[in-house]
Amino acid sequence: MTAPSLPPLRQLRTVSRPLSVPEYYHACVGTHPRTLEERRTAVLALRSDGRLDSAQLQTALAQISEVNPGLCLRIERKAGLAYWRSDGPKPRLRTVEDCTWDGASAAGTGFITDEPQSLEDGPCVELINARLRDGGSMLVLRTFHTVMDGGGVLHFFYELFRALRGEPLLGSNAAFSDAELMRSLGVRKTRSRHMRTCGLTGLPLGDE
């Protein structure tokens, strides 16, 4: 069976649909006060040897937000259901001066989580322009995993760099959920088959 092709990218204006089951799962992890897990986030940092201009980054963010409404998502709960709405705040740009993070360890990364993010109220996407002491910059994207997976994070940066270079933007396919993609396979319901398994270290011995 051949894999289905992803929906084509296009310049979307709005996203309004129910959350898929995987999206809802990732949105819920870490929200209960007694949970042992933290909220699932996606963070990617890119280093630049030179300074990055915050004004140019702000302009590029505004441009890509116009055709990638997934950057402005928020969750709306109604009648026991959860929906994506793309009328939330646009991605926030934050500039951090005198950053000491070298990208090689967790030391000095506290600035990444200094500002709050909210799936319900936004913003759900933040871009940090961290100016390093050595004259370079660290460009850090911070978002929720239910909003972007690794592919979405890369797509964000591709669009950002297109905007900075003045190239046409590709847009998004965020109106199409992962669950819809799976349904498009047309797989018929099958009964689960129980498989016999064995312990790699043999059968247990004794009472322990």
Side-chain angles (χ1 to χ4, degrees):
M1 178 182 297
T2 59
S5 58
L6 289 169
L9 297 171
R10 59 189 178 90
Q11 297 196 0
L12 294 178
R13 294 301 175 187
T14 60
V15 172
S16 180
R17 62 170 175 81
L19 272 72
S20 68
V21 173
E23 289 170 337
Y24 189 78
Y25 166 72
H26 288 298
C28 291
V29 170
T31 59
H32 194 280
R34 294 179 61 185
T35 185
L36 297 178
E37 292 195 58
E38 297 181 356
R39 199 104 192 223
R40 291 184 177 170
T41 57
V43 178
L44 181 63
L46 300 178
R47 181 185 169 87
S48 167
D49 291 334
R51 293 293 194 197
L52 298 174
D53 185 85
S54 291
Q56 291 179 337
L57 289 172
Q58 186 66 68
T59 300
L61 266 182
Q63 290 173 345
I64 65 176
S65 298
E66 289 298 318
V67 296
N68 289 269
L71 301 177
C72 307
L73 290 178
R74 67 177 182 86
I75 291 179
E76 179 181 272
R77 303 180 192 276
K78 184 185 297 184
L81 298 175
Y83 297 86
W84 285 125
R85 306 292 188 219
S86 58
D87 57 357
K90 291 186 177 181
R92 175 175 58 212
L93 176 66
R94 182 157 54 96
T95 301
V96 175
E97 301 290 350
D98 196 32
C99 180
T100 60
W101 185 39
D102 61 4
S105 72
T109 58
F111 71 93
I112 296 177
T113 55
D114 275 350
E115 294 294 330
Q117 285 183 300
S118 170
L119 276 172
E120 289 74 24
D121 303 314
C124 63
V125 177
E126 180 181 57
L127 184 65
I128 305 171
N129 181 16
R131 298 175 181 268
L132 306 177
R133 288 183 177 179
D134 63 6
S137 295
M138 196 77 76
L139 200 58
V140 184
L141 173 68
R142 174 184 168 222
T143 185
F144 296 100
H145 182 49
T146 190
V147 173
M148 290 187 211
D149 59 7
V153 170
L154 290 176
H155 179 67
F156 168 88
F157 276 113
Y158 289 149
E159 288 284 82
L160 181 71
F161 295 143
R162 288 187 188 100
L164 289 171
R165 294 191 298 262
E167 298 174 1
L169 302 178
L170 299 185
S172 173
N173 56 13
F176 196 91
S177 74
D178 47 4
E180 289 175 296
L181 181 63
M182 289 186 286
R183 291 193 195 101
S184 68
L185 283 167
V187 177
R188 295 180 180 178
K189 185 176 180 180
T190 60
R191 290 191 302 174
S192 175
R193 292 180 296 172
H194 296 282
M195 308 295 291
R196 287 185 174 273
T197 60
C198 63
L200 296 178
T201 56
L203 296 175
L205 300 174
D207 297 328
E208 295 184 0

